[in-house]
Amino acid sequence: MLPRFITKTIHAYLDYPVAVSLVAMPFILGLGSVNPLAFWLSVATGIAAFVLTVLTDHHLGIIRVLPYKLHLTVDFLVGLVFVAAPFALGLSGLEAAYYWVLGGTVLAVVSLHKQEDTLQTA
């Protein structure tokens, strides 16, 4: 069994920088030269991740209307989409590596999350 050490607090502190990075990195890396979806998938996901974080019920959430467990479920689904994106969109090289690394990282963060944090309410 994997040691689960990522707490709700740690996860909350990662959310905003990750969202901003998802928007910024396609510009910095020049993604989308072959397939524009390689650019826009990251940008759109970054914007959605920012909104999700603002709305999540954790200490850094601003409006706090969405349960934290839903946030983790969305993160898991994003990880799966990112891992599959290079195959589905025909990406290669840097673009494929970008999505595989991000997808794997998101899935690792979700899988290393402490169980008791996901069961807490309010």
Side-chain angles (χ1 to χ4, degrees):
M1 179 175 224
L2 292 172
R4 295 175 182 254
F5 60 89
I6 298 179
T7 64
K8 188 176 183 178
T9 300
I10 291 169
H11 189 118
Y13 282 116
L14 293 172
D15 280 338
Y16 287 109
V18 167
V20 171
S21 295
L22 286 168
V23 173
M25 290 308 291
F27 291 97
I28 294 168
L29 296 175
L31 300 182
S33 60
V34 174
N35 185 339
L37 289 176
F39 177 90
W40 289 110
L41 177 60
S42 184
V43 171
T45 303
I47 293 167
F50 187 86
V51 171
L52 179 66
T53 301
V54 166
L55 297 176
T56 297
D57 184 17
H58 59 44
H59 72 284
L60 294 180
I62 297 169
I63 300 174
R64 300 182 188 184
V65 294
L66 298 178
Y68 185 65
K69 190 169 183 175
L70 174 65
H71 182 111
L72 288 177
T73 301
V74 170
D75 283 354
F76 176 76
L77 294 173
V78 166
L80 292 178
V81 167
F82 277 10
V83 168
F87 301 107
L89 302 176
L91 305 179
S92 62
L94 176 64
E95 293 175 341
Y98 176 80
Y99 284 103
W100 285 327
V101 168
L102 285 177
T105 302
V106 170
L107 293 173
V109 166
V110 172
S111 69
L112 294 173
H113 212 281
K114 289 181 101 171
Q115 287 296 98
E116 57 271 16
D117 282 345
T118 61
L119 299 176
Q120 290 178 356
T121 59

Short mmCIF file of all heavy atoms in Angstrom, two decimals, residues 71-98:
data_model
loop_
_atom_site.label_atom_id
_atom_site.label_comp_id
_atom_site.label_asym_id
_atom_site.label_seq_id
_atom_site.Cartn_x
_atom_site.Cartn_y
_atom_site.Cartn_z
N HIS A 71 -14.07 17.78 -5.87
CA HIS A 71 -12.83 18.36 -6.39
C HIS A 71 -11.82 17.26 -6.73
O HIS A 71 -11.22 17.26 -7.80
CB HIS A 71 -12.25 19.34 -5.36
CG HIS A 71 -11.01 20.02 -5.79
ND1 HIS A 71 -10.97 21.36 -6.07
CD2 HIS A 71 -9.76 19.56 -6.00
CE1 HIS A 71 -9.74 21.69 -6.42
NE2 HIS A 71 -8.99 20.61 -6.38
N LEU A 72 -11.65 16.31 -5.81
CA LEU A 72 -10.72 15.21 -6.06
C LEU A 72 -11.16 14.34 -7.23
O LEU A 72 -10.33 13.87 -8.01
CB LEU A 72 -10.56 14.34 -4.80
CG LEU A 72 -9.78 14.95 -3.65
CD1 LEU A 72 -9.79 13.99 -2.46
CD2 LEU A 72 -8.37 15.28 -4.07
N THR A 73 -12.45 14.14 -7.37
CA THR A 73 -12.98 13.35 -8.49
C THR A 73 -12.68 14.05 -9.81
O THR A 73 -12.25 13.41 -10.79
CB THR A 73 -14.49 13.11 -8.32
OG1 THR A 73 -14.71 12.42 -7.09
CG2 THR A 73 -15.06 12.32 -9.47
N VAL A 74 -12.88 15.35 -9.85
CA VAL A 74 -12.59 16.12 -11.07
C VAL A 74 -11.09 16.05 -11.37
O VAL A 74 -10.69 15.85 -12.52
CB VAL A 74 -13.07 17.58 -10.94
CG1 VAL A 74 -12.56 18.44 -12.09
CG2 VAL A 74 -14.59 17.64 -10.86
N ASP A 75 -10.25 16.19 -10.35
CA ASP A 75 -8.81 16.08 -10.56
C ASP A 75 -8.44 14.72 -11.16
O ASP A 75 -7.63 14.64 -12.09
CB ASP A 75 -8.05 16.27 -9.24
CG ASP A 75 -7.95 17.71 -8.80
OD1 ASP A 75 -8.35 18.62 -9.57
OD2 ASP A 75 -7.46 17.95 -7.68
N PHE A 76 -9.03 13.66 -10.63
CA PHE A 76 -8.77 12.32 -11.15
C PHE A 76 -9.15 12.23 -12.63
O PHE A 76 -8.39 11.71 -13.46
CB PHE A 76 -9.52 11.28 -10.32
CG PHE A 76 -9.39 9.88 -10.84
CD1 PHE A 76 -8.21 9.17 -10.65
CD2 PHE A 76 -10.43 9.28 -11.53
CE1 PHE A 76 -8.09 7.87 -11.14
CE2 PHE A 76 -10.30 7.99 -12.02
CZ PHE A 76 -9.13 7.28 -11.83
N LEU A 77 -10.32 12.75 -12.97
CA LEU A 77 -10.78 12.71 -14.37
C LEU A 77 -9.87 13.52 -15.28
O LEU A 77 -9.58 13.12 -16.41
CB LEU A 77 -12.23 13.19 -14.47
CG LEU A 77 -13.26 12.28 -13.78
CD1 LEU A 77 -14.63 12.94 -13.78
CD2 LEU A 77 -13.30 10.91 -14.43
N VAL A 78 -9.40 14.67 -14.79
CA VAL A 78 -8.45 15.48 -15.57
C VAL A 78 -7.17 14.69 -15.81
O VAL A 78 -6.62 14.70 -16.92
CB VAL A 78 -8.16 16.82 -14.87
CG1 VAL A 78 -6.94 17.52 -15.48
CG2 VAL A 78 -9.37 17.73 -14.94
N GLY A 79 -6.69 14.01 -14.78
CA GLY A 79 -5.49 13.19 -14.95
C GLY A 79 -5.67 12.13 -16.03
O GLY A 79 -4.79 11.94 -16.88
N LEU A 80 -6.81 11.47 -16.03
CA LEU A 80 -7.09 10.47 -17.07
C LEU A 80 -7.15 11.10 -18.47
O LEU A 80 -6.60 10.55 -19.43
CB LEU A 80 -8.41 9.75 -16.78
CG LEU A 80 -8.45 8.84 -15.57
CD1 LEU A 80 -9.84 8.24 -15.40
CD2 LEU A 80 -7.40 7.74 -15.66
N VAL A 81 -7.81 12.24 -18.57
CA VAL A 81 -7.91 12.93 -19.87
C VAL A 81 -6.52 13.33 -20.36
O VAL A 81 -6.20 13.16 -21.54
CB VAL A 81 -8.85 14.16 -19.77
CG1 VAL A 81 -8.72 15.05 -21.00
CG2 VAL A 81 -10.29 13.71 -19.59
N PHE A 82 -5.69 13.85 -19.47
CA PHE A 82 -4.35 14.27 -19.88
C PHE A 82 -3.49 13.09 -20.33
O PHE A 82 -2.73 13.21 -21.28
CB PHE A 82 -3.65 15.02 -18.74
CG PHE A 82 -4.02 16.47 -18.65
CD1 PHE A 82 -5.06 17.04 -19.38
CD2 PHE A 82 -3.31 17.31 -17.80
CE1 PHE A 82 -5.39 18.38 -19.29
CE2 PHE A 82 -3.62 18.66 -17.70
CZ PHE A 82 -4.65 19.19 -18.44
N VAL A 83 -3.63 11.95 -19.67
CA VAL A 83 -2.86 10.77 -20.09
C VAL A 83 -3.34 10.28 -21.45
O VAL A 83 -2.55 9.86 -22.30
CB VAL A 83 -2.95 9.65 -19.02
CG1 VAL A 83 -2.42 8.33 -19.56
CG2 VAL A 83 -2.18 10.06 -17.77
N ALA A 84 -4.64 10.35 -21.70
CA ALA A 84 -5.21 9.89 -22.96
C ALA A 84 -5.08 10.89 -24.10
O ALA A 84 -5.10 10.51 -25.27
CB ALA A 84 -6.69 9.54 -22.77
N ALA A 85 -4.94 12.17 -23.78
CA ALA A 85 -4.95 13.23 -24.81
C ALA A 85 -3.94 13.02 -25.93
O ALA A 85 -4.29 13.20 -27.11
CB ALA A 85 -4.75 14.60 -24.16
N PRO A 86 -2.69 12.65 -25.65
CA PRO A 86 -1.75 12.46 -26.76
C PRO A 86 -2.20 11.39 -27.76
O PRO A 86 -1.99 11.54 -28.97
CB PRO A 86 -0.45 12.05 -26.07
CG PRO A 86 -0.55 12.68 -24.72
CD PRO A 86 -2.01 12.55 -24.36
N PHE A 87 -2.84 10.35 -27.26
CA PHE A 87 -3.34 9.30 -28.14
C PHE A 87 -4.55 9.80 -28.92
O PHE A 87 -4.64 9.63 -30.14
CB PHE A 87 -3.72 8.04 -27.34
CG PHE A 87 -2.58 7.47 -26.57
CD1 PHE A 87 -2.52 7.59 -25.18
CD2 PHE A 87 -1.54 6.80 -27.22
CE1 PHE A 87 -1.47 7.07 -24.46
CE2 PHE A 87 -0.48 6.28 -26.50
CZ PHE A 87 -0.44 6.41 -25.12
N ALA A 88 -5.48 10.42 -28.22
CA ALA A 88 -6.73 10.88 -28.84
C ALA A 88 -6.50 12.02 -29.83
O ALA A 88 -7.21 12.12 -30.83
CB ALA A 88 -7.71 11.31 -27.76
N LEU A 89 -5.54 12.88 -29.54
CA LEU A 89 -5.30 14.05 -30.39
C LEU A 89 -4.13 13.89 -31.35
O LEU A 89 -3.81 14.80 -32.10
CB LEU A 89 -5.07 15.29 -29.51
CG LEU A 89 -6.19 15.66 -28.54
CD1 LEU A 89 -5.79 16.84 -27.67
CD2 LEU A 89 -7.48 15.94 -29.30
N GLY A 90 -3.47 12.74 -31.29
CA GLY A 90 -2.34 12.49 -32.17
C GLY A 90 -1.13 13.37 -31.86
O GLY A 90 -0.40 13.78 -32.75
N LEU A 91 -0.92 13.66 -30.58
CA LEU A 91 0.20 14.51 -30.18
C LEU A 91 1.47 13.69 -30.12
O LEU A 91 1.45 12.49 -29.88
CB LEU A 91 -0.08 15.14 -28.82
CG LEU A 91 -1.38 15.92 -28.66
CD1 LEU A 91 -1.51 16.47 -27.24
CD2 LEU A 91 -1.45 17.04 -29.68
N SER A 92 2.60 14.37 -30.30
CA SER A 92 3.89 13.71 -30.19
C SER A 92 4.90 14.70 -29.62
O SER A 92 4.60 15.87 -29.42
CB SER A 92 4.36 13.20 -31.56
OG SER A 92 4.52 14.29 -32.45
N GLY A 93 6.09 14.22 -29.36
CA GLY A 93 7.16 15.07 -28.88
C GLY A 93 6.83 15.77 -27.57
O GLY A 93 6.26 15.17 -26.65
N LEU A 94 7.18 17.05 -27.51
CA LEU A 94 6.97 17.84 -26.30
C LEU A 94 5.51 17.89 -25.87
O LEU A 94 5.20 17.81 -24.68
CB LEU A 94 7.50 19.27 -26.52
CG LEU A 94 7.28 20.25 -25.37
CD1 LEU A 94 8.03 19.81 -24.13
CD2 LEU A 94 7.68 21.65 -25.80
N GLU A 95 4.61 18.01 -26.85
CA GLU A 95 3.19 18.10 -26.52
C GLU A 95 2.69 16.82 -25.84
O GLU A 95 1.97 16.88 -24.85
CB GLU A 95 2.37 18.43 -27.75
CG GLU A 95 2.65 19.83 -28.26
CD GLU A 95 1.96 20.18 -29.55
OE1 GLU A 95 1.54 19.24 -30.29
OE2 GLU A 95 1.84 21.38 -29.85
N ALA A 96 3.09 15.68 -26.36
CA ALA A 96 2.69 14.41 -25.75
C ALA A 96 3.31 14.28 -24.36
O ALA A 96 2.62 13.93 -23.39
CB ALA A 96 3.10 13.23 -26.63
N ALA A 97 4.59 14.59 -24.25
CA ALA A 97 5.27 14.48 -22.96
C ALA A 97 4.64 15.41 -21.93
O ALA A 97 4.48 15.02 -20.77
CB ALA A 97 6.75 14.81 -23.13
N TYR A 98 4.27 16.60 -22.34
CA TYR A 98 3.63 17.57 -21.45
C TYR A 98 2.38 16.97 -20.82
O TYR A 98 2.21 17.00 -19.59
CB TYR A 98 3.30 18.83 -22.26
CG TYR A 98 2.53 19.90 -21.52
CD1 TYR A 98 3.17 20.77 -20.66
CD2 TYR A 98 1.16 20.06 -21.71
CE1 TYR A 98 2.48 21.77 -19.99
CE2 TYR A 98 0.45 21.06 -21.05
CZ TYR A 98 1.12 21.91 -20.19
OH TYR A 98 0.43 22.89 -19.53
#
